[in-house]
Amino acid sequence: MDSVGSPITDALDGYEAWDPAEAADVRRVRDLAGAAPDPWLRTTPLHATASALIVHPPTGRVLMRWHPGMRSWLLVGGHGDPGESDPLAVVLREGAEETALPDLVPWPDASLVHVAVVPVPARGGEPAHEHADLRFVLATDRPDAARPENPDAVLRWLTPAEAVESTTLANVRDTLRRVERLLTDSAR
């Protein structure tokens, strides 16, 4: 029988880190997936999350989501629900919930684009912890259909350069630069 962490290790198979810092994060995520009974369990100090940058390839724009708790523009995504173990399925569900976009699909394929272990500060009775975030790219053909899940989670379509300027987090800027390359390559 496969472990709950198997879909995470499957997603990491063949993934090449871009630099030594990311290689260290990949090792931590792989260790988490191999050792934890449930790497998605939110009560552990390091647990898996999945996120995505949503793109509209014809215009080269990306969709950013305001995260009030982090006070920054971020990707969509987050925690797996009980029983979920596939990071791509998690981010497809989260993306649809957070944006109301009905047509999200992996783009240009279902491969990871970035792996980042990110610190999350204590808030709302939850202690400080880390997210082992597996990042993908999702595309929509219906950018005007995007609707925030609540009034505080504002959505904004931006160029990748505008998005880089708008976020306060270096790891999100790193993801944006990677996706900007994909968008540039697809436009050629």
Side-chain angles (χ1 to χ4, degrees):
M1 177 183 226
D2 287 340
S3 76
V4 175
S6 293
I8 294 172
T9 56
D10 291 347
L12 291 171
D13 285 346
Y15 180 75
E16 303 250 348
W18 284 41
D19 57 38
E22 186 182 18
D25 285 351
V26 168
R27 280 190 301 279
R28 286 189 70 199
V29 175
R30 192 176 291 280
D31 290 347
L32 172 70
D38 184 351
W40 297 91
L41 196 58
R42 292 177 73 156
T43 56
T44 59
L46 172 65
H47 55 266
T49 56
S51 62
L53 192 59
I54 296 175
V55 299
H56 181 242
T59 61
R61 293 180 301 159
V62 299
L63 185 62
M64 299 296 287
R65 178 185 185 273
W66 178 253
H67 193 292
M70 296 294 291
R71 298 177 188 228
S72 186
W73 291 96
L74 302 178
L75 316 175
V76 299
H79 296 93
D81 283 347
E84 288 183 318
S85 61
D86 179 356
L88 184 57
V90 169
V91 80
L92 283 165
R93 177 189 50 76
E94 286 276 336
E97 288 175 3
E98 293 179 10
T99 69
L101 289 168
D103 66 337
L104 295 175
V105 294
W107 184 89
D109 56 38
S111 300
L112 284 169
V113 70
H114 190 188
V115 175
V117 174
V118 295
V120 178
R123 64 182 162 82
E126 192 172 76
H129 59 279
E130 293 178 300
H131 286 172
D133 200 34
L134 300 142
R135 296 181 177 174
F136 298 87
V137 181
L138 302 177
T140 182
D141 286 329
R142 300 183 55 202
D144 294 337
R147 300 287 178 270
E149 66 181 325
N150 67 62
D152 294 331
V154 177
L155 300 173
R156 185 179 291 165
W157 284 103
L158 301 167
T159 66
E162 291 168 336
V164 165
E165 289 298 316
S166 73
T167 188
T168 60
L169 301 174
N171 69 80
V172 174
R173 287 193 294 271
D174 193 17
T175 302
L176 284 160
R177 289 183 185 108
R178 294 173 190 209
V179 173
E180 182 175 29
R181 285 185 189 175
L182 289 172
L183 287 165
T184 301
D185 291 348
S186 77
R188 289 183 187 160

